[in-house]
Structures are given as C-alpha cells and as structure tokens.
Amino acid sequence: MKKNKYAQLAGVVAIAALTTAFSTTIYAAAEKAGEHPSTPEAELRYKGAPVPIPTDETKDFVSPSAPAMTSAEFSRAKTIFFERCAGCHGVLRKGATGKPLTPDITLPKGTGYLKAFIGYGSPGGMPNFGTSGVLSDKDVDLMARFLQHEPPVPPEFGMEEVRDTWKNIIPVNKRPTKQMNDYNLKNVFSVTLRDSGEIALIDGDTKEIIKIITTGYAVHISRLSTSGRYLFVIGRDAKINLIDLWMKEPSNVAEIKIGMEARSVETSKYKGYEDTYAIGGAYWPPQYVIMKGDTLEPLKIVTTRGMTVDTQEYHPEPRVAAIVGSHEKPEFIVNVKETGKILMVNYSDLENLKVTTVNAARYLHDGGWDSTLRYFLTAANKSNKIAVVDSKTSKLAALVDVGSIPHPGRGANFIDPKYGPVWATSHLGDDSISLIGTDPKGHKKHAWKVVRTLTGQGGGSLFIKTHPKSKNLYVDTPLNPNTKISQTVAVFDINNLDKPFTILPIADWAKLGDGPKRVVQPEFNHKGDEVWFSVWSGAKQESAIVVVDDKTLKLKKVIKDKRLVTPTGKFNVYNTMHDVY
C-alpha cells in the first residue's frame, strides 16, 4: 500500500466527512458518560477531520505572556492540534464549526480551566480527550499551555508556489486524438481509495479494475470534463490530477497543488467554454485557482477571505467547499464555507474577473442541481438550511429550513407523486430526509419549501441518491454509531413514500472480516439499473464494493481486490458528466 506524509499524519485517527475523527468506542464511552449529551455522536464523528498540513512548514509565534513551552513541546502540540482540533476550530483557531480558541480568549481562562475543558469535554460538543484516554494527562497539560500562545500559521500558497508544483506530464500534442482503448467510458467508475492516496478505475460492465492510479491523499471528489475525456480528482492535500481516459491505458497527464488542504474541483460547462477552464478550491490557504482545462496550468488565484454574511465580521480562514459549473452562464458557483457566501465567478474575462456575491448562510458545504440544471441547492450545514441559487439570474431564490446538519452530497432529484419535482437531502444530525419542491412554474405553491419529511434509519447520513430510471431512493448512514445502521442502507419506494423503507444488509452481503464496514455513497451505473456501494473498513482491513440490482434490490456482485484500500466515493463517468442524481 502506498504511504505518504499525509497518510502518516492522518493515520492515528479515522476520518469523517468521509472520515471518522475518533474511534467509535471513545465516542460511545463519552456519550455514555454524559460528556457531550446535547451533541449527536454522528456529528462529532464528522466534524473533527485532521488537517493535512505538515507541522514543520508553519510559522510559529511563542508568546512571552503565555505559559512556557520548549521547542519540542510546541512541535508536538502543533501535531496534536492539526490531527485532533483544526477540523473543528480552524487552522488559525478563529473558529469554524467549533468555537474560536485565540489567545484573547484562552489566556484569561488560564491553564487550569483549559485542562479541565480539554480533559472532560463539554455539553456543547467538545469531546472529553482526557477522561476518554485519547490524550494523556501530560498531553492535556501541553495543549492547555499551547492554546494560550498565538496560533502557528501555515505558509501561503501564491502563484509562484502553485506554479512550482505544476507538471504537464504529457503535453496536449503528445496525447491521442481519439479514444485508444475499448472501454465503455460512459460506464467507468472512478473510485476513491482514500488511505492509499489512489483511485481505482473500474469497468462498470465487467466489474474489473482497469487501473489503480496514484493521486493526492484521500481524494474528495472526481469530476469529468464536459467531453468526458478528462477525469479531474482532488485530494485533501490539495493535489489535483488530470487523467486522460482516451489513452490506451488511462494515465495522469498533468498535476498541480493549489494549496495545502482542499476539497473541490470542477470544469467549465457553459456552451462555447466546454473544457476550457478548470477550478480548484482550497481550505488552506482560503482561495480558488482557475487553470487551463487540458493542462492544469494555473492562470488566476483569488482569495476568499472577507466578512461573514451574518455578523459582517472579518474571517481570515473561509474555506472553499463545493464548486459547480453553471449551464446558464460562463460561471463557476463557489461555496465559501465560513462566510456563508456563494460566489458566481464569471470566467469569460479572467483579466477583468467579475464575481457576483450571493448572501446565503453559514456554513456552506455540498450540494447539487435540480433536475433542470438551473437551480443549485446547497447545504448551509450548521445553519440547518438549504440555500437555493438561481444560476440564470445569479440571485438567491430561497433559504429553506431543513433538519439537523444537512449533508446531501449532490442530493437526489425525482418526482414526488403528490408534490411534483423535488430535490432531497438527508442529514448528519438526525434521521430526517427533507424533500424540497423545485418547480416554480408547474408547482409554484410547493417551490422552495419542504413538502415532505421522511424518517430514515438514523443520523449520520452522508449521501442520498436516485436516478431518473429508478423508482428507489437510497439513503446511507455510515457515521451512525449503531453498526446495524452504519452497515446497511435504507431504500424508499418513490411511488409510495408512505410505505416503510426497506433495509439492505450491504456489509453482510460483502462477507468481509473484522472492521467497521461502513456502507457509504450509493452511485448508479450509466443505465440506471445498478447501484454501487462502498463497504469501507480500515486501511489494514478488507473492504469491498457491493453492486445491487435496482429493480429487484438483490445482490448482483461483490467486487473484492487487495488493491481496494478503503474505498469511499464512486463517480460514474456519464452520470458525473451530465449531473445525473
């Protein structure tokens, strides 16, 4: 299995948001002890993902007014913070889904208070790192002192640094002019192998692995160029790989790093600009980078630092979450998580870049299109809202209240028998599934309202999925603490939504050995008659992909291979190209 410094950095913890931040037993014990009774365990498992920033690259500020620390202590504290704390509190400790921990707050509290807070946790969601055994008494004391110093600052990543990482491995004029292999590319899947820093290309017809390709660490998403030729993948370490599917053996043809931590990549889709540009969004530094679509050559970097949408205070670390390419205008739609703003970035003139800012709500995360590809529906997860953006007018159409911490992936579009076209999201924080009307012309009174709420298996859902040819709605729950729930999937009958859901024992069908065996991310094949699930275990445990017949809900195939290390996200080429979900 391929190892790298990012995998090693994150190896001491499991990861959530396709990662579990701490072990199930630790959280279960803490929940039982009542250390954070008001916070669902699924939420805790999601929030605290490690930050893949090498600690030796930060600029450190040792504060004379803070408790003394040796260089070795400061270095260890940085490692603990990036592994355990930065996912919630932010790299600069200015606050994200967790509260700010800057010296103006921590110094007056003092070491004793901070030791108690770190050791015992809080009802608001702070895990009990000390009493659960995650941190030793020595490390609790270390972190209490560290938090009173100025936060270490990772380096910026400007055009010089970005360009230094750019590799045009195979120039365009050396690439094929037509497809040189016999694969049915419409039914190829790009599968994230998160802990090995790779993806697997799998033939959806034969269910055989075409190739394992080295990428950045823990690929977050795969996206296709408008032509379907190029596959873009981005890792949590902000590395983007461009893979040419036309080559006899699909391979990397270009790569680049747009920062030190990232989540999103997309390509231009508007008529006349197909495949012209690509865009990557970074968590650190908070910025997006526009590149050439066929080489990844960097063209423009834009920061997202600015004022929050609610209190209008300055935020130094507003991370770029989901990005989609508009079908209505030459624009990228960019979610800025901490400020709660959605940016409509017009790429028709990069020298005179026009950006329209749409005020939404904090904290923006993922989302997808309605069935007409005009309206972008995206989760403001900690605000418990779905923001609806009209890509034709570049304006906010609605803010819709939903359940606790919506996490739709791209969501699911289908026709509700009573309310017409809807888009659905499941939730991390509760068992609800919200159906939002999306037809302002034909069903005006239901548009941009929750028209129906379904009850699923439980909280901890990451993805919901259907297909225009399917009558089924699939809802996963990989972060639920109950293994009977996290290892199965709920299936609703779209034509009879009042009927109880069916439970599919996906992990049992996989017949694996020991491991968490979380079932994650349903993804349809090109024809819409199969749905694929990842059964995600540990890096040293056996994982699998389970293929289900959508018509019968029966097991069709289990794909096992020692190279399938921690498979998570799966992206069918055709469905990803055409925003089918």
Side-chain angles (χ1 to χ4, degrees):
M1 181 176 66
K2 178 179 172 62
K3 296 287 187 182
N4 56 44
K5 63 182 179 181
Y6 300 105
Q8 292 166 356
L9 174 65
V12 295
V13 289
I15 298 191
L18 296 183
T19 294
T20 310
F22 313 96
S23 73
T24 301
T25 53
I26 290 170
Y27 273 125
E31 188 73 24
K32 186 175 180 180
E35 300 295 351
H36 37 76
S38 64
T39 306
E41 181 179 333
E43 179 184 347
L44 288 167
R45 297 174 72 184
Y46 167 74
K47 291 196 304 183
V51 172
I53 293 177
T55 56
D56 58 356
E57 296 184 22
T58 62
K59 185 175 182 180
D60 300 341
F61 301 94
V62 177
S63 307
S65 57
M69 298 185 73
T70 66
S71 296
E73 287 179 324
F74 201 88
S75 178
R76 173 162 176 75
K78 285 193 297 182
T79 298
I80 293 173
F81 183 81
F82 287 144
E83 289 176 351
R84 304 283 186 180
C85 317
C88 284
H89 298 284
V91 169
L92 301 181
R93 307 206 311 251
K94 294 286 187 178
T97 50
K99 294 182 179 181
L101 294 172
T102 46
D104 59 310
I105 296 170
T106 56
L107 268 171
K109 298 292 186 183
T111 303
Y113 174 91
L114 294 171
K115 285 173 65 175
F117 186 70
I118 297 166
Y120 292 97
S122 76
M126 174 72 175
N128 53 328
F129 287 108
T131 58
S132 65
V134 172
L135 296 180
S136 66
D137 290 345
K138 183 178 179 180
D139 281 339
V140 169
D141 176 73
L142 179 77
M143 294 307 295
R145 288 181 284 134
F146 170 76
L147 292 178
Q148 297 173 71
H149 289 264
E150 290 292 331
V153 179
E156 297 293 325
F157 226 76
M159 182 58 78
E160 180 180 357
E161 290 79 12
V162 170
R163 184 168 281 275
D164 282 347
T165 70
W166 174 52
K167 296 178 182 178
N168 192 19
I169 300 167
I170 301 178
V172 174
N173 62 4
K174 300 292 185 181
R175 301 176 196 169
T177 57
K178 62 180 181 178
Q179 185 178 336
M180 302 300 292
N181 56 61
D182 296 326
Y183 299 116
N184 174 16
L185 293 182
K186 290 181 178 179
N187 202 32
V188 168
F189 288 76
S190 173
V191 181
T192 296
L193 308 179
R194 57 159 302 108
D195 290 318
S196 64
E198 298 167 320
I199 63 157
L201 291 180
I202 301 181
D203 187 327
D205 295 341
T206 66
K207 313 298 189 291
E208 298 292 330
I209 294 176
I210 296 170
K211 189 177 182 181
I212 304 294
I213 298 177
T214 300
T215 62
Y217 170 65
V219 163
H220 193 67
I221 56 171
S222 297
R223 290 289 177 259
L224 272 297
S225 64
T226 308
S227 65
R229 173 180 182 169
Y230 291 117
L231 173 68
F232 298 77
V233 300
I234 188 165
R236 284 176 50 87
D237 57 0
K239 183 178 180 180
I240 300 174
N241 291 83
L242 179 64
I243 298 164
D244 188 350
L245 299 179
W246 279 11
M247 297 176 69
K248 186 175 181 179
E249 185 180 84
S251 299
N252 282 313
V253 293
E255 65 180 47
I256 196 170
K257 272 176 64 70
I258 61 164
M260 305 186 79
E261 186 185 10
R263 295 295 186 280
S264 52
V265 67
E266 181 61 294
T267 64
S268 54
K269 295 183 176 181
Y270 186 66
K271 186 176 181 180
Y273 291 90
E274 298 94 336
D275 299 356
T276 302
Y277 298 117
I279 183 173
Y283 269 25
W284 185 268
Q287 62 191 27
Y288 56 87
V289 180
I290 299 175
M291 302 155 280
K292 287 186 178 179
D294 56 359
T295 66
L296 300 182
E297 180 183 357
L299 301 174
K300 196 171 192 70
I301 301 177
V302 183
T303 184
T304 55
R305 292 180 171 103
M307 316 308 283
T308 61
V309 70
D310 44 12
T311 59
Q312 298 190 49
E313 59 185 309
Y314 178 73
H315 200 295
E317 195 187 340
R319 300 172 286 182
V320 178
I323 302 176
V324 295
S326 174
H327 302 268
E328 297 281 350
K329 295 179 180 179
E331 289 183 339
F332 292 120
I333 303 178
V334 179
N335 276 353
V336 185
K337 185 183 287 280
E338 276 73 25
T339 58
K341 295 178 179 180
I342 300 171
L343 309 180
M344 317 294 284
V345 180
N346 190 301
Y347 49 74
S348 62
D349 182 359
L350 294 186
E351 289 303 313
N352 301 284
L353 192 69
K354 180 181 178 181
V355 180
T356 301
T357 300
V358 177
N359 288 340
R362 303 169 74 184
Y363 292 82
L364 293 166
H365 193 59
D366 56 354
W369 294 104
D370 79 307
S371 59
T372 70
L373 303 182
R374 172 174 172 174
Y375 297 95
F376 177 52
L377 294 95
T378 185
N381 56 21
K382 287 299 290 184
S383 296
N384 301 329
K385 296 179 185 295
I386 296 294
V388 184
V389 176
D390 184 344
S391 66
K392 189 171 185 177
T393 64
S394 299
K395 293 182 179 180
L396 187 73
L399 273 177
V400 185
D401 292 321
V402 291
S404 176
I405 315 179
H407 194 286
R410 289 240 160 164
N413 288 300
F414 57 94
I415 305 296
D416 184 289
K418 183 176 180 181
Y419 300 105
V422 297
W423 177 93
T425 181
S426 52
H427 298 84
L428 273 160
D430 63 33
D431 60 5
S432 69
I433 297 135
S434 299
L435 277 56
I436 298 170
T438 60
D439 183 14
K441 290 186 177 180
H443 298 77
K444 185 175 181 179
K445 68 178 181 179
H446 302 313
W448 319 135
K449 298 176 183 176
V450 174
V451 296
R452 190 192 296 264
T453 301
L454 307 177
T455 301
Q457 291 198 83
S461 176
L462 291 178
F463 297 100
I464 184 170
K465 189 63 68 78
T466 189
H467 187 278
K469 296 181 180 179
S470 175
K471 68 177 183 65
N472 296 314
L473 177 67
Y474 298 86
V475 184
D476 72 12
T477 41
L479 298 186
N480 193 285
N482 185 335
T483 56
K484 291 183 179 180
I485 296 176
S486 65
Q487 295 181 2
T488 61
V489 67
V491 187
F492 292 85
D493 182 346
I494 288 172
N495 295 324
N496 189 357
L497 291 168
D498 294 324
K499 186 173 72 174
F501 55 77
T502 299
I503 297 175
L504 301 186
I506 303 296
D508 286 348
W509 285 345
K511 297 187 183 302
L512 301 173
D514 293 336
K517 293 175 282 194
R518 295 176 291 266
V519 174
V520 64
Q521 207 227 14
E523 175 75 349
F524 277 84
N525 65 344
H526 169 224
K527 292 182 179 179
D529 59 6
E530 292 176 355
V531 59
W532 293 34
F533 298 90
S534 295
V535 185
W536 168 31
S537 278
K540 296 183 179 180
Q541 297 164 319
E542 188 179 27
S543 294
I545 293 172
V546 172
V547 182
V548 174
D549 187 308
D550 178 64
K551 306 300 181 188
T552 65
L553 299 184
K554 301 296 184 183
L555 174 64
K556 191 169 184 178
K557 176 75 174 180
V558 177
I559 303 173
K560 291 183 180 180
D561 191 293
K562 64 181 180 180
R563 295 172 292 172
L564 291 178
V565 178
T566 55
T568 51
K570 300 164 299 304
F571 303 88
N572 174 268
V573 166
Y574 182 88
N575 294 339
T576 305
M577 281 172 60
H578 296 280
D579 293 303
V580 177
Y581 37 80

